[in-house]
Amino acid sequence: MQQLLLLGDEAIAQGAIDAGISGVYAYPGTPSTEITEYIQSSKEASNRNIRSLWSANEKTAMESAIGMSYAGKKALVCMKHVGLNVAADAFVNAGITGANGGLVVLSADDPSMHSSQNEQDSRFYGKFSLIPCMEPSNQQEAYDMTRYAFEISEKFGTPVLIRVTTRLAHSRAGVIRKEILDQNEMHLPSDLKQFVLLPAIARKQYNKLLGKQDQFEADSAQSGYNKLIDGPDKSRGIIACGIAYNYLMENYEDGIIPHPVFKVGQYPIDRNMLSKLYEAVDEILVLEDGYPIIEELLKGMLDKGKTVRGRLDGSIPRAGELNPNIVGKALKLETSEGFNTPEILAGRPPRLCDGCSHTDSFLALNEAMEAYSKGRVFSDIGCYTLSALAPLESINSCVDMGASITMAIGAADAGLVPSVAAIGDSTFTHSGITGLLDAVNCNAPITVLIMDNSTTGMTGGQTSSAFEKVDAIVRGVGVEEEHIKVITPLKRNHEENLKIYKEELAYEGVSVIIARRECIQTLARRMKQKAIQKREAKKA
Amino acid sequence: MKKDIILGGVGGQGILTIAATIGTAALMEGLQLKQAEVHGMSQRGGDVQSNLRLSSKPIASDLIPEGKADLIISVEPMESLRYMNMLNKESGWIISSMNPVKNISNYPDLEEVLAEIWKLPKNVTIDAENVAKEQGSVKAANIVILGAASPFLGLKVESLEAAIEQIFSKKGEEMVKLNLKAFRAGREYAEKRT
Ligand SMILES: Cc1ncc(C[n+]2csc(CCOP(=O)(O)OP(=O)(O)O)c2C)c(N)n1
């Protein structure tokens, strides 16, 4: 079959298309975004009518996918790791309901926090929900495993989690496609109460799920995604999970590893293989590109068995992603070094683009806040979070999506009046609306700045669910008309905007300032497209 | 054949076009490749890098081990310094633009930056913007640097030029011509210098 050069994310997307999905449901988030974008721009996917519009957040995405699975069709859900926290209620309970049509959840982890606020390991969620979890080591496996995940999802009637990390998500390699499978016909579950998690039914369903655990484990052995590879030197055995296997291989030029290796790509792992490895070797090194999950289980609380090395004993740094050198050192091999980094090298942190509307929003806010003591601006996640850094230094928090408004309520309750919330349009519809409703219901003395750049900027400019809806939502939630102000954040409007900020900060109730100006990146892209269209029209 | 390449630059400079061109040429020659890219946060004017690995044999890791890179190709001079720990001390080449992007307040003295590059045994520095301008547009500075790096890539000139044609053909015949000229000018410069 055809060989394609694909990012790990794209391999997953193509795998899902070829597995016969009828829909992908997702909210953008690095490093998962390219999966959905690939499906959105795939001709094959549109010919097959695969639905692929962005959802408002990860929870709504997860629930829509559960609905599609209920109706018998195959659905993929994609998110970044912290998105799984947002979707967790639906996700964990989907383990209990089980799946009808294939239901696969993709969570992309970000060890080293390249673009995230933590480096949580999604494999925990697989275990938490008691469902199978796949962890590919390369792009081909990402493709194959996605197909396989749909297969076992339907075979066992369970959602399946796929976990990848940034490196695989954003690295390209050749991938060989297989035949494309049909989509399912709509068919409802044979038991129409399966998805009704009333306690009496939930208990039954939960026991069913518990009963499947042995099958899940047996499948990890027979699928080939748990593999024991023997080696002559039994002084050490190695467990390599997911992409860690590549870093291990990189350290042996001929690709032959002298020690026994347990390659793990599917969970729950096969304990027979594990036991065989454990019995055969003197000590075990565990390589995981994430939390030390297997390592901790193997060590146990009392650590009375054989020596287990990894992140917990310092053989590997406790935090951050793996790389070939870290793994080489843990293997006690000689690792190479390059030149020393010159001292004059300066850091180059990300920054707001020149001409960004957020800069003008914050310049006015900073000036308006000069009348008050410092530390009052709660913010959220998006490009505007970069205003925490010099030169703006405008904001004092960024915790999780939507937290700006709700933290401002709590701080105001504690006496910090006025408190300010600064939130982007996409984040507002992701999980800011309910917080604003809380604020209205308790008439919190807060000022909410909604920075509406009409896109989801940070992740590359995806269509925002809030597009052209912010004003109506704010009104609908019940903010008083005279305290809803729409401004255009531009240098030339500075004085006028400043006056509005000052007035609303002085008001001891909920006020909302909507700062609306298009993201300059999407504007530039739009202009470029327009120019191309014009040129083509001329030609024609 | 095995080449491990670090591409460096600043978010928005388009190092991925260079990566895509080299990758396309490598595929034409039947090589295997892995290319780790940076997406997300740092694309907002921060430092960005890509690990590009070419080989006639299967490639294990998406990341190049420290001290093993054959080549650092940087479209910004200070950014080439960021990856010096990755460079092979015996055989590694640095190919760097001399045109700084000063979007930070503490950008070091350019002379000092260049001096650090020149300290290395194997380096090519090039005023890519000027060379590109001479060929018709500063926009092609990227491809000038690719041209300057091309003698060290272990790929045939014909494959690289075919790759440029393929990649820029979407943008029209003029863009293809401009970038081919830029590529050749960069290559000539590097060949004269070494
Ligand atoms: C739960 C969760 N989902 C997704 C993300 C990824 N993410 C970070 S910022 C952002 C977009 C923010 O868009 P918006 O609020 O409109 O601000 P902008 O970047 O456009 O300024 C997304 C999707 C995240 N950090 N957390």
Side-chain angles (χ1 to χ4, degrees):
Chain A
M1 271 298 256
Q2 191 184 1
Q3 163 140 339
L4 302 168
L5 189 60
L6 298 178
L7 293 177
D9 272 353
E10 296 170 343
I12 290 159
Q14 189 65 57
I17 294 170
D18 294 351
I21 56 164
S22 299
V24 58
Y25 296 88
Y27 181 74
T30 316
S32 71
T33 313
E34 292 81 0
I35 303 170
T36 306
E37 287 182 332
Y38 183 92
I39 298 174
Q40 286 172 342
S41 59
S42 155
K43 275 216 181 83
E44 253 169 336
S46 76
N47 287 343
R48 299 186 131 220
N49 276 325
I50 296 175
R51 72 82 60 203
S52 60
L53 290 179
W54 294 109
S55 302
N57 67 34
E58 293 85 352
K59 179 173 180 285
T60 64
M62 182 71 222
E63 290 156 348
S64 304
I66 297 173
M68 182 171 269
S69 168
Y70 171 92
K73 298 197 178 183
K74 287 175 264 193
L76 175 69
V77 197
C78 304
M79 59 197 75
K80 71 182 287 164
H81 59 342
V82 288
L84 196 46
N85 299 335
V86 176
D89 198 6
F91 174 76
V92 174
N93 289 316
I96 315 280
T97 62
N100 182 31
L103 178 57
V104 173
V105 183
L106 182 292
S107 177
D109 293 355
D110 191 18
S112 280
M113 306 180 217
H114 298 283
S115 304
S116 309
Q117 66 269 49
N118 76 26
E119 57 174 35
Q120 66 184 58
D121 190 320
S122 294
R123 293 177 300 164
F124 269 113
Y125 268 114
K127 194 171 157 45
F128 194 30
S129 304
L130 298 165
I131 63 170
C133 171
M134 317 292 299
E135 189 185 16
S137 71
N138 59 36
Q139 292 78 355
Q140 184 67 52
E141 275 188 3
Y143 175 86
D144 294 335
M145 280 186 182
T146 305
R147 293 176 63 110
Y148 188 68
F150 278 102
E151 191 182 318
I152 57 172
S153 173
E154 295 199 336
K155 178 168 156 198
F156 297 122
T158 177
V160 176
L161 178 67
I162 304 177
R163 182 242 184 189
V164 293
T165 54
T166 306
R167 277 313 151 189
L168 180 59
H170 287 167
S171 175
R172 240 172 251 287
V175 172
I176 295 170
R177 268 183 85 178
K178 300 196 175 84
E179 80 284 2
I180 182 162
L181 303 177
D182 288 336
Q183 296 181 48
N184 289 350
E185 294 294 332
M186 191 174 85
H187 63 280
L188 301 191
S190 52
D191 172 8
L192 284 177
K193 296 217 167 71
Q194 182 188 330
F195 285 72
V196 186
L197 294 186
L198 271 171
I201 304 170
R203 274 179 224 120
K204 238 189 265 163
Q205 286 292 117
Y206 183 51
N207 276 316
K208 237 190 196 167
L209 176 63
L210 293 175
K212 289 176 191 167
Q213 297 303 306
D214 287 345
Q215 294 170 32
F216 293 167
E217 188 178 325
D219 193 77
S220 294
Q222 72 81 34
S223 69
Y225 293 130
N226 275 195
K227 208 157 71 187
L228 201 53
I229 308 153
D230 201 16
D233 182 352
K234 309 283 198 269
S235 64
R236 179 192 299 145
I238 302 163
I239 300 175
C241 302
I243 198 168
Y245 181 73
N246 298 353
Y247 301 140
L248 173 65
M249 294 295 283
E250 184 67 33
N251 276 283
Y252 297 95
E253 258 176 32
D254 49 5
I256 298 165
I257 296 161
H259 308 285
V261 176
F262 183 19
K263 181 179 188 291
V264 176
Q266 188 175 342
Y267 307 81
I269 65 173
D270 176 52
R271 279 172 295 179
N272 288 326
M273 287 186 194
L274 182 64
S275 160
K276 254 191 213 155
L277 180 83
Y278 192 85
E279 295 307 328
V281 300
D282 299 337
E283 62 162 45
I284 292 186
L285 172 66
V286 189
L287 305 173
E288 300 172 87
D289 199 23
Y291 283 12
I293 296 179
I294 300 293
E295 185 185 341
E296 203 162 12
L297 284 172
L298 200 56
K299 223 174 162 115
M301 277 198 170
L302 302 179
D303 193 12
K304 285 192 167 165
K306 287 184 180 172
T307 303
V308 176
R309 297 199 298 118
R311 290 195 191 263
L312 295 174
D313 78 331
S315 297
I316 294 169
R318 183 64 180 78
E321 69 174 331
L322 298 178
N323 65 37
N325 291 70
I326 288 173
V327 171
K329 280 187 193 122
L331 291 162
K332 300 187 174 151
L333 297 173
E334 230 175 273
T335 51
S336 52
E337 276 176 15
F339 293 95
N340 293 331
T341 310
E343 263 169 37
I344 58 164
L345 176 67
R348 201 190 294 264
R351 55 198 278 280
L352 291 172
C353 306
D354 293 332
C356 174
S357 57
H358 296 333
T359 304
D360 293 314
S361 294
F362 283 121
L363 284 174
L365 180 65
N366 282 359
E367 201 174 326
M369 295 308 289
E370 280 170 12
Y372 305 95
S373 61
K374 281 191 178 306
R376 294 166 180 272
V377 183
F378 301 92
S379 190
D380 240 296
I381 309 194
C383 288
Y384 47 91
T385 316
L386 295 170
S387 72
L389 309 174
L392 285 166
E393 301 190 62
S394 304
I395 63 167
N396 308 107
S397 78
C398 156
V399 178
D400 66 283
M401 289 188 77
S404 58
I405 299 175
T406 31
M407 279 180 73
I409 295 174
D413 285 342
L416 193 69
V417 177
S419 285
V420 178
I423 185 169
D425 56 310
S426 178
T427 304
F428 178 63
T429 45
H430 177 285
S431 46
I433 302 172
T434 44
L436 186 60
L437 183 60
D438 278 353
V440 167
N441 286 344
C442 65
N443 194 30
I446 65 171
T447 302
V448 179
L449 170 63
I450 303 178
M451 286 163 289
D452 182 4
N453 59 359
S454 307
T455 192
T456 318
M458 179 99 271
T459 43
Q462 296 76 21
T463 305
S464 165
S465 297
F467 188 61
E468 293 184 341
K469 296 191 179 71
V470 175
D471 306 20
I473 293 170
V474 170
R475 222 168 272 133
V477 165
V479 179
E480 289 166 33
E481 195 64 45
E482 60 272 32
H483 292 289
I484 303 173
K485 299 283 161 67
V486 181
I487 65 171
T488 306
L490 276 170
K491 219 176 247 135
R492 65 174 140 84
N493 297 344
H494 181 80
E495 291 307 321
E496 185 187 326
N497 292 345
L498 181 61
K499 193 168 153 266
I500 293 173
Y501 277 109
K502 282 183 177 166
E503 281 166 12
E504 295 310 325
L505 283 166
Y507 170 63
E508 291 214 359
V510 183
S511 49
V512 174
I513 300 171
I514 301 163
R516 178 168 298 125
R517 176 154 75 79
E518 187 178 358
C519 163
I520 62 147
Q521 296 285 347
T522 54
L523 178 70
R525 218 177 303 159
R526 240 171 9 93
M527 289 305 154
K528 218 175 189 174
Q529 247 148 21
K530 236 186 190 170
I532 292 173
Q533 278 167 358
K534 229 180 184 176
R535 203 174 347 139
E536 310 243 296
K538 236 186 200 168
K539 257 192 219 159
Chain B
M1 148 59 170
K2 184 166 179 292
K3 281 280 176 232
D4 285 335
I5 306 161
I6 305 268
L7 292 149
V10 179
Q13 279 193 302
I15 59 166
L16 292 185
T17 310
I18 301 183
T21 313
I22 299 174
T24 305
L27 286 186
M28 286 174 186
E29 297 194 12
L31 296 170
Q32 315 224 14
L33 83 92
K34 276 204 173 181
Q35 186 203 330
E37 302 174 359
V38 171
H39 296 213
M41 189 115 182
S42 40
Q43 282 177 300
R44 299 272 163 282
D47 56 280
V48 292
Q49 110 322 80
S50 169
N51 281 219
L52 179 57
R53 315 193 71 187
L54 316 177
S55 175
S56 41
K57 286 200 239 149
I59 304 161
S61 165
D62 299 85
L63 293 176
I64 299 167
E66 255 175 68
K68 288 280 179 72
D70 300 296
L71 210 61
I72 292 173
I73 303 175
S74 182
V75 293
E76 204 282 345
M78 185 182 77
E79 290 309 318
S80 71
L81 305 183
R82 203 175 297 284
Y83 310 104
M84 276 176 48
N85 65 320
M86 302 299 295
L87 197 62
N88 187 316
K89 279 186 179 169
E90 278 80 50
S91 58
W93 278 88
I94 283 198
I95 315 299
S96 178
S97 156
M98 293 165 81
N99 313 114
V101 176
K102 295 189 177 177
N103 64 356
I104 46 171
S105 54
N106 57 339
Y107 194 94
D109 186 46
L110 180 60
E111 291 302 315
E112 281 181 47
V113 170
L114 293 173
E116 289 289 349
I117 302 176
W118 292 334
K119 265 190 214 162
L120 297 187
K122 299 177 162 61
N123 72 79
V124 176
T125 49
I126 179 166
D127 183 348
E129 287 180 4
N130 218 0
V131 175
K133 230 179 271 166
E134 282 167 14
Q135 302 308 317
S137 168
V138 70
K139 272 192 207 153
N142 263 356
I143 302 302
V144 169
I145 292 163
L146 171 63
S150 64
F152 314 102
L153 289 172
L155 297 170
K156 294 192 195 94
V157 192
E158 301 83 66
S159 333
L160 285 163
E161 293 200 352
I164 290 173
E165 282 179 35
Q166 188 178 320
I167 282 174
F168 289 95
S169 64
K170 281 168 261 167
K171 298 185 175 168
E173 194 47 41
E174 266 157 53
M175 284 296 280
V176 173
K177 267 193 205 145
L178 168 70
N179 283 290
L180 280 175
K181 269 167 68 184
F183 173 82
R184 285 167 195 155
R187 185 175 176 95
E188 198 178 310
Y189 178 91
E191 279 173 340
K192 262 191 214 148
R193 288 284 298 255
T194 52

